[in-house]
Amino acid sequence: MTILVADDNAFSRELMRELLQASGHTILEAVNGRNALDLIRRGGPDLVFLDLQMPMQDGFSVIRELRNESRFRKLPVVAVTASAMIGDRERAIAAGFDSYIAKPIDLCEVETHVSVFASRA
């Protein structure tokens, strides 16, 4: 499975990359929302972990663009955020994300999300 990890925090990207590569996945990395959109449009990921707060284009803006393009409406995208407040999960799902993970990242939760979306492919 090819997975895009889009996060402006290098440590978060590295943590996700190491975990997911150890499980045999191919990892793409983006440092901001524009970079993430470019990688997605160039053809690639089967699953996206998308930070909500990134420079140039935040996760909410990215998900709006993706869901407006028919070829990406079913692409699984998981919101990832450090500012986990009451109602954030619901807001992310309403915006078009398929799921939501709060930071600090729980590696078991990431693996669970990958398994769930891999079984739907």
Side-chain angles (χ1 to χ4, degrees):
M1 177 178 249
T2 300
I3 301 170
L4 172 62
V5 176
D7 196 317
D8 59 317
N9 182 294
F11 177 76
S12 293
R13 284 194 319 274
E14 181 180 345
L15 181 67
M16 295 276 285
R17 179 182 64 244
E18 288 180 9
L19 167 74
L20 296 168
Q21 282 179 333
S23 297
H25 302 288
T26 301
I27 307 306
L28 304 173
E29 294 182 49
V31 297
N32 61 55
R34 284 188 197 156
N35 183 219
L37 277 171
D38 186 45
L39 288 170
I40 293 167
R41 287 178 174 141
R42 276 195 260 160
D46 302 301
L47 172 62
V48 178
F49 286 96
L50 184 63
D51 186 23
L52 293 180
Q53 297 177 349
M54 291 185 291
M56 294 191 181
Q57 197 165 359
D58 69 11
F60 285 106
S61 174
V62 171
I63 197 70
R64 272 193 305 275
E65 284 196 44
L66 288 176
R67 296 310 187 220
N68 282 328
E69 295 182 39
S70 61
R71 64 187 172 144
F72 299 123
R73 286 197 183 121
K74 293 187 179 184
L75 174 66
V77 182
V78 178
V80 181
T81 186
S83 62
M85 305 294 286
I86 294 174
D88 282 351
R89 175 183 301 274
E90 292 76 15
R91 191 171 75 131
I93 300 302
F97 286 93
D98 296 281
S99 193
Y100 175 96
I101 294 177
K103 292 180 184 179
I105 295 169
D106 177 335
L107 299 180
C108 291
E109 188 176 10
V110 170
E111 289 177 334
T112 299
H113 278 78
V114 171
S115 295
V116 165
F117 291 114
S119 69
R120 293 181 187 176

